[in-house]
Amino acid sequence: MMQFMLLFSRQGKLRLQKWFSAYPDRAKKKITRELITLVLARKPKMCSFLEWKDLKIVYKRYASLYFCCAIERDDNELLTLETIHRYVELLDKYFGSVCELDIIFNFEKAYFMLDEFLLGGEVQETSKKNVLKAIAAQDLLQEEETPQGFFEDHGLG
Amino acid sequence: MPTVKGDGMRGLAVFISDIRNCKSKEAEIKRINKELANIRSKFKGDKTLDGYQKKKYVCKLLFIFLLGHDIDFGHMEAVNLLSSNKYTEKQIGYLFISVLVGASSDLMKLVIQSIKNDLVSRNPIHINLALHCMANVGSREMADSVGGDIPKLLTSGETIDSVKQSAGLTLLRLQRSSPEMIPLGEWTSRIIHLLNDQHMGVVTSATSLIEALVRKNPEEYKSCVSLAVSRLSRIVTASYTDLQDYTYYFVPAPWLSVKLLRLLQNYPPPEDASVRTRLTECLETILNKAQEPPKSKKVQHSNAKNAVLFEAINLIIHMDSDPNLLVRACNQLGQFLQHKETNLRYLALESMCLLATSEFSHEAVKKHQDTVITALKTERDVSVRQRAVDLLYAMCDRSNAEEIVGEMLEYLESADYSIREEMVLKVAILAEKYAVDYTWYVDVILNLIRIAGDYVSEEVWYRVIQIVINRDDVQGYAAKTVFEALQAPACHENMVKVGGYILGEFGNLIAGDPRSSPLVQFQLLHSKYHLCSPNTRGLLLSTYIKFINLFPEIKSSIQEILGSDNNLRNPDVELQQRCIEYLQLSTVASPDVLATVLEEMPPFPERESSILAKLKKKKPTATAEGGEEKEKEQRTIPQAQVNNAEPSAPAPLPTVNNLNTAPSGGSSGGAVVDLLGLDTAPAPAAPASSGLNFLADVFGDQPATNGVDDDALTPGAEENFKKFFCKQNGVLFENDLLQIGIKAEYRQNLARVGVFFGNKTTFQFTNFTSNLVLADSIKSAVSVQPKAVEPVVEGGAQVQQLFNIECVDSFSEAPLLKISFTHTSQVQKLNLKLPVIISKFLEPAEMNSEAFFTRWKALSQPDQECQKIFKAQFPQDTEQVKQKVLGFGLSILQGIDPNPDNFVSSAILHTRNQQVGCLVRLEPNKQMQMYRLTIRSTKPEISKALGDLLETQF
């Protein structure tokens, strides 16, 4: 199973984190720091897989963002690369050519999308259509619910 | 500011923009604190916030948390959102809980209540939110209070597909965190049948669940095998249009395929022939597809296709039964070794490591040796080179050891620091394991020290010393070689240690040459003394005192050094004490006493190589940690060279610890016993004679054996061994921890013996080794190809070790099976006789009375006959005797002996060198309860061997 997935920028800023097993907060911070340093130090042509503690790290860079997953010993590295890619495609389709800013400003959407795609560290639904359909259904509900405090919502709100 | 999807929360977007515009960390913190104060006041204010505002503030808190700041309020507001009837508010509430609220939180009760409500809401989109939250938090409490409803949700015909998918993986998560909470017994069959579901997404999710359940209880879920195979078969034979959106870049359902292939790796090859054929076809199809031209140039296509291929290869390796598939897999990986994609080269090297351990594909892997060596030299990524090292290590055997070790040594000169230590260990192990010529071994280890002295751990140089001490054929060579190595102007401190130790023991072997006369040796060592650490100096001092014994002619030069101010008043207490004591010893002791105290070290008991143990322990942190791992423990100064002269000081080598506990260890050598006094109990002559000693041996942390009785059989071994004379399968040994079963097949001069080790405990066995040792007398008569066993045997698990044995010539002693493992940190050792005896290679032969007597008479020379007259140990039941004779491998010839009670038999003994006819006559005397046994064959030793074996059986 996938243990966790981290999205971070070339500058080393964490943009999204998803933990599929329970880790204490302190451990999460330490792991994140370590992995960001480790992955950013790697050169472009290098292998996308590396052993790390008793896990395997699979990472791929898309524009300014690194997607980095930790999987277990007997998990499939190549397929994990494509799991990352499918997630990127989903974001791309949803946001319309996704960029780092979309994920920063709509982090909650990125999480909802991930929950439809991966659950409990396993792939739940690989069909792009089905995932997007589920998210579209959520958005539809969102639009039906009129924001009441819209006018007060300026500045610090 | 980019557009915000949906209605969004404008306030949130503004806040995020503000944070992004902050010029400094301080400004950011200031802005965050301002926001936190604002939110706090809103939450505390009297004015009740509406749902939208609560949602917005909770979302802001979440964002602040994700930036890395602590959040200590707002949890209650998030929980309130859960009960909102607006979907988006509920959703943000659940997100906050999933990300921020730990399983142990006080609020969990409230959260669980909301989950319960949503699960029964009949609104699938709400049910899914609740399921996602459970899958994200996965606490025991949740499993306990709501988990019981999930299996029903998963298998009910009324549940819609998307909910089933989430329910499957939610159940998986809860099973992982608290397996005993949700009994699934009544659901097993329905869960398995999800593999047949119409909806691919449901199957995708269910397969992961089933795999996890199978791992816990393979027997109960066994019927999933045929369903998984047929599902897989339908996918791999589908065209890429068949599966619509489940086809990924022209690859049909890669995720599901990989999950199914993994599921199957939990079982042995299917028993049912048709299922097995179908699976083989699937695997062949996958291998075939790898050869087809790609349907797309996109990397996604090749990755997905190869992901399935690698998983298929994993399954082929796991089944380890179809030589054709294994060799095809190996060839496929061979192609990848030279692929332009680094990722594929990496994975090919990794998978090949596994193939190298299969007897079917080991040779095929070896064909790629040159490519792997090239990879070691040319790969730019250290993690790929690491894989190449691993593979070379795995593919090494006696035939290529010299070349591989040579290449690894050469590479070591320029190897990355991060992998040096591991490489040193591997080289040391290979050199030891495959050394035919131990001078080569000594050369390799000294080269290791020369090239990568800093990375040569203590285990490695301890080991070379142990081996040199135990093998007198290399001692002279070792002394000469270290002497030469020490001549280098700058040599590594580890070289000084090894050199000091070896010269101290065996310097006399080269002292005849004037170029390495005693004084020259001493001066050479002493020229390094001042550059060394106190540890090494201590060791050298021991060498000096040993020199006094070896070379009395340089005693005065050495005493001068020992007595120098620098040493006698050394600030290091250990050194000072050594000098004083050694000086005193050399002055007061008579030459006889000196010779006894400073005698050559006795051989070390043969154990598992300590280096191997170290390699096993070593975690693959090489690429991650990098740099230096300073974990040097405080070590006491080595002084093992002096036979226990100071019983209080700890010995440096793990394997000599016994010397310090000599009273219980016993027979470690005359010197020790003499020194410690005559009241020391002598070592037990045979362990069988003393149950207590056996216990001490098997259950003690350090076995009380010390070389001498290390080969002694475990009690009971002989009795059980004899039971196998007339049968092939059964239990060879059993105690509270372990059961060892044997399953053997014999064909002419070949044997295939499976040894099954069953761990009866709930704890794992570690450092598990099982080696077949052939006594010198039978080394040339029996050829054995053992398969290695995994070093870890899980609690309750059974592992098999296979030996392919060939009978080359007749032999009379059974091979010794030496087993050792660690159980709850206790080292356990067993020595058993493997029931492979000469009679196993008998093939019963039929002949008529005339032929029998002609041959019988032809074999009338006295040494061709072996006759035994013995008392019956068992009731003389004709039927039982008959069964034993047949079981032993003899025929029963009717109508030859006039006395119908007698047994007359003939057989052919197959060895590689020859076939030998054997004739047997067994005459029971029921009145006397005696037997007379007569055996005739052309070979006296075979007659005797068979006689000795048969005598024990009746």
Side-chain angles (χ1 to χ4, degrees):
Chain A
M1 76 177 272
M2 192 182 287
Q3 290 287 321
F4 53 85
M5 183 190 234
L6 303 174
L7 270 64
F8 50 86
S9 69
R10 274 178 65 193
Q11 290 74 36
K13 285 222 180 233
L14 187 62
R15 293 304 182 203
L16 199 77
Q17 45 177 317
K18 181 77 185 177
W19 305 82
F20 296 106
S21 295
Y23 287 84
D25 280 340
R26 190 187 294 263
K28 286 183 187 173
K29 283 188 179 163
K30 183 163 179 281
I31 292 171
T32 309
R33 257 198 325 270
E34 261 180 54
L35 280 182
I36 291 179
T37 325
L38 186 64
V39 169
L40 287 180
R42 293 180 61 87
K43 298 190 186 76
K45 281 278 173 186
M46 280 187 168
C47 181
S48 315
F49 320 127
L50 47 137
E51 290 187 333
W52 182 77
K53 313 233 160 125
D54 52 353
L55 297 174
K56 299 191 284 198
I57 302 298
V58 176
Y59 70 92
K60 185 159 180 175
R61 184 179 153 183
Y62 288 86
S64 61
L65 264 191
Y66 282 87
F67 289 68
C68 171
C69 299
I71 56 176
E72 287 174 302
R73 286 258 128 176
D74 44 4
D75 286 320
N76 193 308
E77 294 98 334
L78 280 176
L79 199 65
T80 306
L81 270 184
E82 294 320 299
T83 304
I84 292 174
H85 187 75
R86 171 95 323 167
Y87 183 50
V88 172
E89 283 185 345
L90 288 167
L91 294 171
D92 202 56
K93 192 87 183 166
Y94 181 73
F95 289 109
S97 118
V98 66
C99 66
E100 195 182 333
L101 282 184
D102 289 320
I103 296 175
I104 297 172
F105 280 91
N106 300 282
F107 66 94
E108 80 282 11
K109 290 285 175 200
Y111 273 109
F112 300 148
M113 187 94 76
L114 203 53
D115 273 346
E116 296 293 331
F117 178 45
L118 300 174
L119 199 59
E122 307 283 355
V123 173
Q124 175 179 210
E125 177 56 90
T126 67
S127 156
K128 201 155 64 172
K129 267 188 211 149
N130 287 354
V131 174
L132 290 169
K133 216 157 63 186
I135 299 290
Q138 293 174 11
D139 281 348
L140 205 65
L141 283 174
Q142 179 174 286
E143 266 144 39
E144 283 166 6
E145 295 161 4
T146 32
Q148 296 174 348
F150 188 76
F151 294 106
E152 306 146 38
D153 198 11
H154 287 288
L156 302 180
Chain B
M1 199 164 80
T3 50
V4 175
K5 291 295 284 192
D7 73 336
M9 288 163 276
R10 214 183 126 68
L12 176 66
V14 169
F15 173 60
I16 295 175
S17 287
D18 283 0
I19 295 289
R20 287 182 52 75
N21 289 336
C22 287
K23 294 277 185 288
S24 66
K25 193 80 195 160
E26 291 71 36
E28 183 184 308
I29 291 173
K30 208 172 151 204
R31 178 69 186 85
I32 285 170
N33 285 338
K34 185 172 165 201
E35 190 64 37
L36 285 175
N38 173 46
I39 298 172
R40 210 186 295 263
S41 74
K42 292 282 183 196
F43 282 166
K44 273 196 186 145
D46 329 319
K47 203 175 76 175
T48 44
L49 296 171
D50 62 31
Y52 170 77
Q53 290 199 321
K54 256 190 228 163
K55 172 179 95 171
K56 185 183 67 187
Y57 293 131
V58 165
C59 216
K60 280 183 179 175
L61 288 177
L62 195 53
F63 182 79
I64 294 171
F65 175 78
L66 290 170
L67 282 177
H69 301 268
D70 293 332
I71 297 295
D72 53 7
F73 69 102
H75 301 68
M76 201 56 212
E77 283 73 12
V79 172
N80 285 341
L81 285 176
L82 298 183
S83 50
S84 162
N85 52 9
K86 293 211 172 88
Y87 180 75
T88 53
E89 288 166 17
K90 204 185 262 300
Q91 197 181 23
I92 293 293
Y94 274 125
L95 180 62
F96 186 92
I97 304 295
S98 298
V99 174
L100 238 149
V101 179
S104 56
S105 163
D106 304 338
L107 293 171
M108 232 0 117
K109 280 208 169 53
L110 295 170
V111 174
I112 288 173
Q113 191 49 51
S114 295
I115 287 178
K116 272 187 178 163
N117 296 341
D118 282 329
L119 281 181
V120 297
S121 72
R122 307 190 69 80
N123 180 350
I125 211 157
H126 286 192
I127 298 178
N128 262 355
L129 272 186
L131 288 173
H132 292 173
C133 180
M134 287 171 80
N136 284 326
V137 178
S139 70
R140 287 180 69 84
E141 217 178 334
M142 278 179 182
D144 192 24
S145 49
V146 221
D149 301 335
I150 313 290
K152 186 155 173 261
L153 203 57
L154 172 64
T155 53
S156 159
E158 289 164 23
T159 312
I160 69 160
D161 292 329
S162 66
V163 173
K164 273 191 187 171
Q165 282 171 274
S166 300
L169 293 174
T170 303
L171 191 52
L172 167 60
R173 175 68 205 268
L174 297 179
Q175 280 286 323
R176 277 193 188 128
S177 56
S178 29
E180 73 291 1
M181 285 294 189
I182 311 167
L184 286 174
E186 55 174 315
W187 308 99
T188 307
S189 156
R190 281 197 247 177
I191 291 176
I192 292 173
H193 277 87
L194 288 171
L195 286 174
N196 265 342
D197 201 281
Q198 296 280 319
H199 192 277
M200 292 282 277
V202 173
V203 189
T204 306
S205 129
T207 309
S208 293
L209 170 66
I210 294 170
E211 205 223 335
L213 298 173
V214 158
R215 284 181 181 212
K216 294 219 165 57
N217 200 343
E219 209 40 47
E220 193 181 340
Y221 286 85
K222 217 172 166 185
S223 62
C224 73
V225 172
S226 63
L227 290 183
V229 170
S230 72
R231 189 91 214 191
L232 180 67
S233 167
R234 273 180 280 159
I235 297 172
V236 295
T237 53
S239 82
Y240 61 83
T241 49
D242 288 356
L243 300 173
Q244 294 160 352
D245 212 29
Y246 289 91
T247 296
Y248 179 82
Y249 290 86
F250 303 100
V251 182
W255 280 276
L256 181 52
S257 304
V258 166
K259 285 182 180 192
L260 290 167
L261 287 163
R262 265 192 59 180
L263 173 60
L264 291 170
Q265 285 170 54
N266 290 290
Y267 289 99
E271 286 155 18
D272 183 298
S274 64
V275 178
R276 196 172 173 152
T277 314
R278 203 161 177 199
L279 178 56
T280 308
E281 282 166 10
C282 287
L283 296 170
E284 277 169 349
T285 312
I286 294 170
L287 286 167
N288 292 342
K289 280 189 181 169
Q291 296 299 325
E292 288 170 11
K295 294 196 174 64
S296 153
K297 285 212 173 85
K298 289 237 163 71
V299 68
Q300 283 76 27
H301 171 68
S302 78
N303 277 351
K305 188 165 132 182
N306 292 327
V308 177
L309 176 65
F310 273 104
E311 208 58 57
I313 292 178
N314 283 344
L315 179 58
I316 291 171
I317 296 171
H318 165 78
M319 297 198 297
D320 196 16
S321 60
D322 188 333
N324 173 42
L325 286 175
L326 281 160
V327 170
R328 282 194 67 185
C330 186
N331 294 339
Q332 183 60 54
L333 294 177
Q335 289 182 17
F336 285 153
L337 284 183
Q338 312 204 40
H339 201 279
K340 63 178 193 324
E341 282 266 333
T342 313
N343 289 344
L344 285 180
R345 295 198 303 276
Y346 175 96
L347 294 174
L349 289 165
E350 189 178 58
S351 280
M352 262 204 184
C353 270
L354 296 173
L355 275 176
T357 57
S358 164
E359 57 174 323
F360 299 114
S361 47
H362 182 79
E363 288 303 316
V365 171
K366 276 165 67 183
K367 286 190 195 130
H368 302 286
Q369 187 178 321
D370 292 342
T371 319
V372 182
I373 288 171
T374 315
L376 181 65
K377 290 176 175 164
T378 56
E379 282 291 350
R380 277 187 293 177
D381 184 347
V382 57
S383 47
V384 186
R385 290 196 295 269
Q386 168 85 45
R387 291 285 84 82
V389 172
D390 290 348
L391 178 54
L392 285 176
Y393 178 75
M395 68 160 71
C396 192
D397 62 20
R398 211 170 280 279
S399 73
N400 55 16
E402 224 160 299
E403 192 184 344
I404 285 181
V405 165
E407 292 290 351
M408 283 169 91
L409 271 177
E410 192 188 320
Y411 173 64
L412 194 54
E413 306 222 22
S414 57
D416 314 72
Y417 296 112
S418 56
I419 64 174
R420 279 192 179 190
E421 187 179 358
E422 201 184 322
M423 280 197 72
V424 167
L425 285 176
K426 286 185 163 162
V427 169
I429 290 166
L430 292 178
E432 181 188 338
K433 199 166 164 194
Y434 298 116
V436 182
D437 174 3
Y438 277 85
T439 58
W440 173 71
Y441 168 76
V442 169
D443 284 340
V444 169
I445 302 297
L446 294 184
N447 262 329
L448 275 182
I449 297 176
R450 194 178 49 77
I451 297 170
D454 284 343
Y455 298 89
V456 172
S457 58
E458 285 166 337
E459 285 86 350
V460 173
W461 72 262
Y462 287 174
R463 190 68 188 159
V464 68
I465 286 171
Q466 288 175 15
I467 285 176
V468 169
I469 285 179
N470 288 9
R471 301 195 61 99
D472 40 18
D473 53 335
V474 288
Q475 289 161 356
Y477 180 80
K480 182 168 162 285
T481 320
V482 290
F483 178 78
E484 280 161 12
L486 285 172
Q487 314 248 316
C491 66
H492 196 272
E493 190 162 339
N494 280 336
M495 189 70 89
V496 179
K497 289 177 183 163
V498 174
Y501 201 118
I502 288 181
L503 291 180
E505 294 294 321
F506 309 113
N508 54 328
L509 299 177
I510 55 167
D513 188 328
R515 285 167 298 175
S516 52
S517 70
L519 193 61
V520 175
Q521 286 184 39
F522 171 62
Q523 283 167 345
L524 179 62
L525 283 175
H526 199 59
S527 69
K528 316 281 181 195
Y529 185 84
H530 302 282
L531 304 169
C532 291
S533 67
N535 269 9
T536 311
R537 288 191 196 182
L539 187 150
L540 286 177
L541 290 174
S542 296
T543 303
Y544 298 167
I545 184 78
K546 287 219 138 189
F547 273 175
I548 291 185
N549 175 43
L550 288 180
F551 313 124
E553 64 268 34
I554 57 167
K555 183 174 174 178
S556 58
S557 319
I558 292 174
Q559 282 178 328
E560 196 181 308
I561 300 294
L562 291 177
S564 71
D565 260 10
N566 190 15
N567 279 330
L568 274 188
R569 298 177 189 197
N570 197 294
D572 186 303
V573 179
E574 175 69 34
L575 290 181
Q576 193 186 97
Q577 187 178 355
R578 278 187 187 223
C579 287
I580 293 169
E581 288 178 3
Y582 289 167
L583 188 58
Q584 198 62 15
L585 181 68
S586 71
T587 329
V588 299
S590 72
D592 280 355
V593 171
L594 267 187
T596 316
V597 175
L598 302 170
E599 200 191 29
E600 190 181 299
M601 289 294 286
F604 289 90
E606 270 313 322
R607 304 233 177 107
E608 185 198 17
S609 158
S610 49
I611 321 177
L612 206 56
K614 167 145 184 167
L615 186 68
K616 285 176 191 158
K617 251 188 282 164
K618 208 172 144 57
K619 278 198 155 188
T621 50
T623 45
E625 310 281 316
E628 286 175 46
E629 263 175 82
K630 290 268 183 217
E631 48 171 66
K632 293 273 178 237
E633 298 150 44
Q634 283 290 317
R635 292 270 177 184
T636 45
I637 293 175
Q639 59 134 43
Q641 285 167 292
V642 182
N643 277 348
N644 218 21
E646 298 152 298
S648 61
L653 308 188
T655 42
V656 264
N657 283 348
N658 279 331
L659 290 180
N660 287 330
T661 54
S664 64
S667 53
S668 61
V672 179
V673 178
D674 285 347
L675 263 183
L676 295 177
L678 296 168
D679 53 345
T680 309
S689 66
S690 156
L692 272 178
N693 272 313
F694 163 63
L695 286 180
D697 184 4
V698 175
F699 296 111
D701 228 1
Q702 299 155 354
T705 53
N706 192 12
V708 175
D709 53 357
D710 205 36
D711 282 342
L713 283 185
T714 304
E718 187 70 36
E719 284 72 9
N720 281 339
F721 167 69
K722 283 184 184 153
K723 288 185 190 151
F724 280 84
F725 287 9
C726 297
K727 63 176 185 180
Q728 321 300 0
N729 306 330
V731 175
L732 181 65
F733 178 82
E734 181 155 14
N735 64 12
D736 289 344
L737 307 176
L738 175 74
Q739 186 192 54
I740 303 177
I742 300 281
K743 221 174 178 177
E745 284 169 38
Y746 294 89
R747 221 185 59 232
Q748 302 200 322
N749 64 325
L750 300 178
R752 198 174 145 94
V753 181
V755 183
F756 295 83
F757 302 97
N759 181 346
K760 291 168 69 178
T761 71
T762 47
F763 299 99
Q764 53 172 218
F765 296 163
T766 51
N767 300 330
F768 189 91
T769 61
S770 159
N771 294 310
L772 206 56
V773 182
L774 300 176
D776 287 337
S777 58
I778 63 166
K779 262 193 183 129
S780 57
V782 181
S783 128
V784 179
Q785 281 186 306
K787 277 183 86 166
V789 275
E790 289 292 312
V792 174
V793 182
E794 295 297 344
Q798 189 188 57
V799 297
Q800 181 191 3
Q801 187 177 29
L802 203 61
F803 296 97
N804 285 316
I805 299 175
E806 186 184 6
C807 174
V808 181
D809 210 335
S810 69
F811 61 95
S812 54
E813 227 183 312
L816 192 64
L817 188 64
K818 290 188 148 197
I819 299 147
S820 127
F821 58 92
T822 311
H823 172 255
T824 56
S825 75
Q826 305 256 313
V827 179
Q828 310 282 344
K829 279 172 184 277
L830 295 170
N831 291 336
L832 305 171
K833 276 186 175 178
L834 192 72
V836 173
I837 48 180
I838 188 70
S839 65
K840 297 293 182 191
F841 303 96
L842 286 172
E843 189 184 32
E846 294 296 326
M847 57 181 70
N848 61 26
S849 140
E850 194 189 326
F852 185 86
F853 282 113
T854 317
R855 291 184 195 195
W856 184 265
K857 280 179 196 139
L859 298 169
S860 55
Q861 285 175 31
D863 63 353
Q864 291 176 326
E865 183 187 89
C866 166
Q867 188 164 75
K868 306 223 169 208
I869 298 170
F870 53 92
K871 194 135 184 74
Q873 304 169 49
F874 303 97
Q876 290 178 296
D877 178 85
T878 309
E879 194 49 39
Q880 278 186 16
V881 174
K882 192 174 157 188
Q883 289 310 320
K884 283 185 181 172
V885 171
L886 290 170
F888 193 74
L890 298 168
S891 63
I892 291 192
L893 303 175
Q894 303 291 349
I896 292 180
D897 200 306
N899 182 346
D901 285 339
N902 292 352
F903 296 87
V904 174
S905 314
S906 66
I908 299 165
L909 180 71
H910 293 272
T911 70
R912 190 205 286 163
N913 295 345
Q914 58 186 342
Q915 298 190 354
V916 182
C918 310
L919 303 175
V920 180
R921 188 177 186 211
L922 179 68
E923 299 161 272
N925 181 336
K926 290 192 178 169
Q927 273 182 320
M928 304 286 291
Q929 297 184 347
M930 298 283 283
Y931 287 99
R932 181 165 72 183
L933 171 70
T934 316
I935 298 166
R936 287 189 180 184
S937 79
T938 46
K939 291 274 187 183
E941 71 271 15
I942 291 178
S943 303
K944 180 168 184 322
L946 292 177
D948 290 345
L949 292 171
L950 268 176
E951 185 186 15
T952 61
Q953 296 298 303
F954 300 101

